Amino acid sequence: MKFLRMRPGYGEQLIAEGDVEVAEDEERLVEEFRSQLEQGMWAAVPVKTEAGRREAEMVRAFEDIPRTTDRVIFFPRAAGGAA
Amino acid sequence: MTPALAATAIVVLALLWEVLHPWAARKLEIRKANRARIAEGEGLPGYDPGRERRAEQRARELLKSCVNDEEWAMYRDLGFIRVWGGESGSGSDAVISRDLRGAPYAYLVYPHRPIVAYLPQTGRLLNEYCVEFPDETRPYGSTRLPDSDDVLAKWMALKGDERRLISEANMHLPGRQIDPKMLQRDIWRLGRWERERLERAARRHPVGPAD
């Protein structure tokens, strides 16, 4: 599983990678996931439906990430703009 | 007569000089300071057009890998993506208005511009939702994501939790930031684009009379 983060001037950055079936990796991923959310990021998982449509799911906890997901994308949380 | 006119002209020029000289001196100073900053590499803080282009290229690849082929082609050809509303499992009610009474609605998603809700059946514009994804870590002095990342962030947030995104946005009537004429033209372009795409698909896979 890869954690990608959108950043100005970079596009996406790989911030963590690991196998969720390996306890040590999973622990590191959980920590990184929490850290990103504490920094004000939102997390989304690209998914494919049974009909083959691409969709996205927002995840608020590491446990919500489907185990088979190969990437989680972090991006800054939304804020009302140009009021 | 001539000496009087000359004297008046001199007085006018002197007064103008008094008024304009400080203004011109200030402008000159600002210009000199700007030139000095640019010469020292401080012109636009950390702005590098090459890096921004590479970032946008990476963002486009990520967007392409996440959205549906049709949506990617729409963005590539038209510069925006249409996302259908009410599909994110945010509840059975329409997120943007109960008055729609089940009428399908959709959003036009542009990079770094408000999300626009509209009724595809009639083309009626509903609302503008001003929303940003500012990265306060400002890695190169700017909070602004590359264009395609901004579009992907909106797409994922609308798909994943439409209600949450819309509740974070500042809602305005259409026309606040995006010219409604441009929006109507884009809706028309989208309709034509979809028709042409369907026609191309039909030519590639013709349906026989027996089918």
Side-chain angles (χ1 to χ4, degrees), chain A residues 5-12 42 44 46 53-56 58 60 71 73 75-83, chain B residues 51 55 58 64-68 130-135 137 139 142 144 156 159-161 164 168 170 176-177:
Chain A
R5 175 169 166 175
M6 294 179 182
R7 297 200 77 189
Y10 286 98
E12 88 277 8
W42 279 359
R53 293 285 299 169
R54 286 174 173 174
E55 303 285 343
M58 301 294 287
R60 296 183 194 222
R71 57 188 176 166
I73 300 172
F75 55 98
R77 63 168 295 148
Chain B
R51 185 192 60 230
R58 275 196 293 272
K64 188 179 176 183
S65 71
C66 290
V67 302
N68 293 289
C130 302
V131 66
E132 295 171 349
F133 299 91
D135 187 336
T137 62
S142 170
R144 203 172 142 106
M156 289 192 299
K159 291 276 186 179
D161 196 343
R164 189 181 182 193
E168 294 286 347
N170 288 324
R176 165 97 176 201
Q177 285 194 56

Side-chain angles (χ1 to χ4, degrees), chain B residues 160-190:
Chain B
D161 196 343
E162 179 186 348
R163 189 178 296 279
R164 189 181 182 193
L165 181 69
I166 292 305
S167 67
E168 294 286 347
N170 288 324
M171 187 186 83
H172 298 292
L173 291 173
R176 165 97 176 201
Q177 285 194 56
I178 307 185
D179 181 0
K181 282 183 192 159
M182 190 204 90
L183 292 170
Q184 294 294 356
R185 200 181 62 231
D186 280 350
I187 292 169
W188 176 80
R189 286 170 65 219
L190 176 59

Side-chain angles (χ1 to χ4, degrees), chain B residues 99-174:
Chain B
D99 301 336
L100 296 177
R101 291 175 190 162
Y105 63 95
Y107 300 99
L108 297 178
V109 176
Y110 295 89
H112 294 295
R113 305 191 85 176
I115 296 168
V116 179
Y118 76 109
L119 295 178
Q121 282 178 347
T122 60
R124 189 183 132 211
L125 302 174
L126 297 171
N127 296 310
E128 279 185 10
Y129 295 94
C130 302
V131 66
E132 295 171 349
F133 299 91
D135 187 336
E136 296 301 342
T137 62
R138 300 170 187 259
Y140 289 107
S142 170
T143 62
R144 203 172 142 106
L145 293 174
D147 284 359
S148 299
D149 273 352
D150 183 71
V151 169
L152 179 57
K154 287 170 180 161
W155 182 87
M156 289 192 299
L158 281 173
K159 291 276 186 179
D161 196 343
E162 179 186 348
R163 189 178 296 279
R164 189 181 182 193
L165 181 69
I166 292 305
S167 67
E168 294 286 347
N170 288 324
M171 187 186 83
H172 298 292
L173 291 173

